[in-house]
Amino acid sequence: MADTLRRLVNTSSFSVLQDKLESWHQDYHVISCDQNLNRCCELIELTAKIQGELFTILNHTATEGGHYAGVDTLKTRLLPWLGTCFSMARPSVTDDTSLQLIQESVEKDRKIRELSVCHDSDMQKMETQLCSTRLQLDSVKAELADAHMELDETKNKSATTLLATEDEILQLKADLRAAHEKAESYRRKLDTLDDYERQIRLLREEVSFLTTEKAMLQERLVRSRSPSPLPRRSRSYSPLRSESPTRAQLTNSSRHARLVSRFSDLYAVERLEAQSLLRRYIDDLEMVQKIIFIAVMESFQAAKLAYRQFKLRVRKTLSPSHHGPESLEDAAVDYIVRNLDLYDVQASVNEVINAMNVNPRISFPPEVDFVLISNLIRETCRVAFAMQTLDPPLDLAFANNGELHNDNKYRRSYDSEFTAPLVAYHVWPALMEGDTVMVKGEAVTRRGALWRSRSRSRSASPMRSRSVSPTRSLAFNNSRSLSPGRLTASRL
């Protein structure tokens, strides 16, 4: 009995029971319901174990007292208590096992307390971190609010700046428009000034020419009044008899190269522009190319005729007073080279359009006019007129539909039949200098071209002509300017 009591004292079962009660009391409102029930069951088990030990000590004590020792105590205290509320069977485990279980329970409680302390410290740390995180979140929210305020201020400033920028852009556009208008006015003034300078230069040349003519006339008058032959000798030794070349002769090569290049530009630029204009009204590409070819040929014929007439007028005007070192022919050509702007190109354009209106090889819709390609005709006439001042002059090669294709003069177009030997029609004429080809033309070769050209020439009436519409006649009458035949000495 003493050993059992000593073990019960050494295990401190009641102190463990008290500690568990206090711990459960502290954590009752923190832990869950299942945990509370588990702790209650642990306390009941521990109480039952302690009661089992006490009943064992009670049994040993009663046995040591004999049959009658302690009977009154058992009757007055134990039996009534057992009868009223409690009955406890002897535990099935041994004393050593019970004590070992109590020790394990105490160890578990100690570990649980340690884990609880660690858990509390971790919770405090987490709460501290949560507080710091909340503070950081508050600071970030404050910074975000400041950023929103700055963004709103920036938007307001940007809107104000944008309005100011739009006003500045409008002002700059107005200034630019005014500057363009000023530049245009200055350009017109500059063009007018260039025209004035050109007229002044022409007048100076005319004055110098007239001054020279006056001096020559005065010299002739002096010689006619003087019976002495000395003036005739002085005339033979006069410096005016020097064999210096004229301006036309000096610039012949440069003008030749420039005009050949300009003829190539007519094919590359003006021809395509005229073709695009005609294609708006004529779907047949062949007819459009024929119209352009005939317009170029007629322009050269009109320009050559105008050049001959202009040259005759110049010769007639210069012949009474000409006594220069150069011949009258050279003087006339030199004058024409210096005054190419006196060429009445509009009269040649009108002649070309009139000739095309009565040409039986081309047809044209009545609602439009050949004035559409007047730009091509005008530029071709100017080039052709200037080519007649060269030595030797440049001209176009003779061309006829159905002729044998000449590779030296013409190149085949992209839609030609390259094995066909005959020319169906010409797209662009060849430029010739005597018998030398300067610029190749373009032709379309097809089989049966000779038969086609003959059938078309039979079907076309030779009396076929086109009556000029009122708009055409009005354009012709209004665009008439000074022709070469009306050139007078005052114009020269």
Side-chain angles (χ1 to χ4, degrees):
M1 185 276 296
D3 295 335
T4 303
L5 183 59
R6 185 175 55 255
R7 285 198 302 271
L8 184 61
V9 172
N10 291 333
T11 55
S12 302
S13 298
F14 287 98
S15 61
V16 171
L17 181 62
Q18 183 65 30
D19 293 338
K20 284 183 175 291
L21 285 174
E22 291 177 357
S23 175
W24 184 24
H25 181 265
Q26 291 176 358
D27 298 335
Y28 182 80
H29 297 285
V30 178
I31 60 179
S32 63
C33 179
D34 292 337
Q35 292 176 348
N36 286 325
L37 291 176
N38 288 329
R39 289 197 178 185
C40 183
C41 291
E42 289 178 1
L43 292 174
I44 292 173
E45 291 175 356
L46 182 59
T47 304
K49 292 176 183 179
I50 294 172
Q51 288 178 356
E53 294 293 335
L54 291 175
F55 274 107
T56 300
I57 295 172
L58 178 64
N59 188 17
H60 287 294
T61 303
T63 303
E64 291 176 354
H67 293 283
Y68 301 104
V71 174
D72 295 333
T73 303
L74 293 175
K75 289 180 179 180
T76 58
R77 298 192 61 180
L78 179 62
L79 292 178
W81 177 68
L82 291 176
T84 56
C85 62
F86 186 76
S87 63
M88 180 67 182
R90 182 177 177 86
S92 59
V93 295
T94 62
D95 297 335
D96 296 333
T97 304
S98 178
L99 293 175
Q100 186 177 1
L101 291 175
I102 293 172
Q103 290 178 356
E104 290 177 357
S105 177
V106 171
E107 186 67 24
K108 288 181 180 179
D109 292 337
R110 184 181 61 78
K111 290 181 179 180
I112 289 173
R113 284 196 300 272
E114 291 178 356
L115 290 175
S116 178
V117 172
C118 293
H119 176 70
D120 293 337
S121 62
D122 293 339
M123 288 295 294
Q124 290 179 358
K125 290 181 181 178
M126 291 180 68
E127 288 179 357
T128 305
Q129 292 178 358
L130 181 62
C131 293
S132 62
T133 305
R134 287 177 179 175
L135 293 176
Q136 292 178 359
L137 181 61
D138 294 336
S139 64
V140 170
K141 287 182 179 179
E143 292 177 358
L144 183 60
D146 296 337
H148 279 299
M149 294 178 63
E150 292 179 358
L151 181 60
D152 293 336
E153 292 178 359
T154 306
K155 285 182 179 179
N156 295 330
K157 292 180 180 179
S158 300
T160 307
T161 307
L162 181 60
L163 293 176
T165 305
E166 289 180 354
D167 296 337
E168 292 178 358
I169 290 173
L170 294 176
Q171 184 64 30
L172 290 174
K173 285 183 178 179
D175 296 341
L176 182 61
R177 196 179 305 112
H180 280 305
E181 293 176 356
K182 288 183 180 179
E184 185 66 22
S185 63
Y186 289 153
R187 189 183 62 80
R188 289 195 296 267
K189 290 180 181 179
L190 184 60
D191 294 340
T192 306
L193 182 61
D194 292 338
D195 293 338
Y196 289 158
E197 290 179 353
R198 184 169 169 275
Q199 292 178 6
I200 291 171
R201 186 176 65 256
L202 293 175
L203 290 175
R204 285 178 180 176
E205 291 179 356
E206 291 181 2
V207 168
S208 63
F209 179 77
L210 293 175
T211 302
T212 305
E213 185 180 359
K214 179 181 177 181
M216 294 172 62
L217 290 175
Q218 288 178 354
E219 184 181 359
R220 289 179 60 188
L221 182 60
V222 170
R223 285 200 305 271
S224 63
R225 289 180 181 179
S226 175
S228 175
L230 291 176
R232 191 171 298 174
R233 287 195 299 268
S234 63
R235 178 185 172 185
S236 61
Y237 292 102
S238 175
L240 295 174
R241 288 294 181 181
S242 62
E243 297 297 331
S244 60
T246 62
R247 179 177 180 180
Q249 295 171 350
L250 290 174
T251 60
N252 186 73
S253 60
S254 61
R255 288 186 294 112
H256 181 279
R258 180 175 57 82
L259 291 173
V260 170
S261 176
R262 184 70 183 97
F263 184 78
S264 300
D265 292 340
L266 288 177
Y267 171 79
V269 180
E270 280 79 4
R271 180 187 70 89
L272 295 179
E273 292 178 355
Q275 181 172 315
S276 63
L277 287 174
L278 292 176
R279 287 302 298 272
R280 298 178 184 176
Y281 306 96
I282 304 176
D283 296 331
D284 189 6
L285 178 61
E286 178 179 348
M287 181 55 63
V288 170
Q289 292 176 343
K290 286 182 178 180
I291 290 172
I292 293 175
F293 177 78
I294 292 174
V296 174
M297 298 295 291
E298 293 291 344
S299 298
F300 264 79
Q301 294 297 328
K304 289 192 292 184
L305 179 61
Y307 177 77
R308 288 194 293 270
Q309 294 176 354
F310 193 88
K311 189 175 180 181
L312 288 176
R313 298 300 177 188
V314 173
R315 285 170 57 89
K316 184 178 179 180
T317 304
L318 293 180
S319 59
S321 59
H322 177 69
H323 293 285
E326 72 278 358
S327 64
L328 181 60
E329 182 75 14
D330 293 339
V333 174
D334 185 67
Y335 182 83
I336 294 173
V337 171
R338 293 172 179 269
N339 300 276
L340 288 176
D341 57 321
L342 296 179
Y343 167 48
D344 187 7
V345 65
Q346 187 60 42
S348 298
V349 172
N350 295 337
E351 293 176 4
V352 171
I353 294 177
N354 290 333
M356 293 176 67
N357 286 331
V358 297
N359 194 308
R361 291 190 297 170
I362 55 177
S363 60
F364 205 69
E367 63 271 9
V368 292
D369 198 351
F370 285 122
V371 178
L372 281 174
I373 58 173
S374 60
N375 184 39
L376 172 66
I377 298 173
R378 183 179 296 104
E379 296 301 322
T380 306
C381 288
R382 287 176 178 171
V383 172
F385 187 86
M387 285 180 176
Q388 305 311 307
T389 62
L390 299 175
D391 186 22
L394 299 177
D395 201 357
L396 299 182
F398 176 77
N400 190 19
N401 294 342
E403 66 180 358
L404 188 64
H405 178 71
N406 189 348
D407 290 331
N408 295 326
K409 289 184 180 180
Y410 302 99
R411 59 177 174 272
R412 301 175 192 263
S413 63
Y414 69 95
D415 55 347
S416 298
E417 296 179 4
F418 289 90
T419 58
L422 300 180
V423 175
Y425 64 93
H426 295 82
V427 178
W428 191 256
L431 185 65
M432 307 289 293
E433 186 181 51
D435 295 334
T436 306
V437 179
M438 302 304 299
V439 179
K440 277 189 176 184
E442 184 177 347
V444 178
T445 57
R446 296 204 179 111
R447 295 189 179 277
L450 182 60
W451 179 81
R452 291 179 184 176
S453 62
R454 287 181 179 178
S455 62
R456 289 182 181 178
S457 63
R458 287 184 188 137
S459 62
S461 174
M463 298 302 294
R464 176 186 177 187
S465 63
R466 187 183 292 104
S467 61
V468 181
S469 62
T471 58
R472 292 180 182 175
S473 60
L474 182 59
F476 296 156
N477 293 332
N478 291 338
S479 60
R480 296 286 293 180
S481 60
L482 186 61
S483 64
R486 298 181 182 179
L487 186 65
T488 60
S490 61
R491 294 292 295 174
L492 294 175

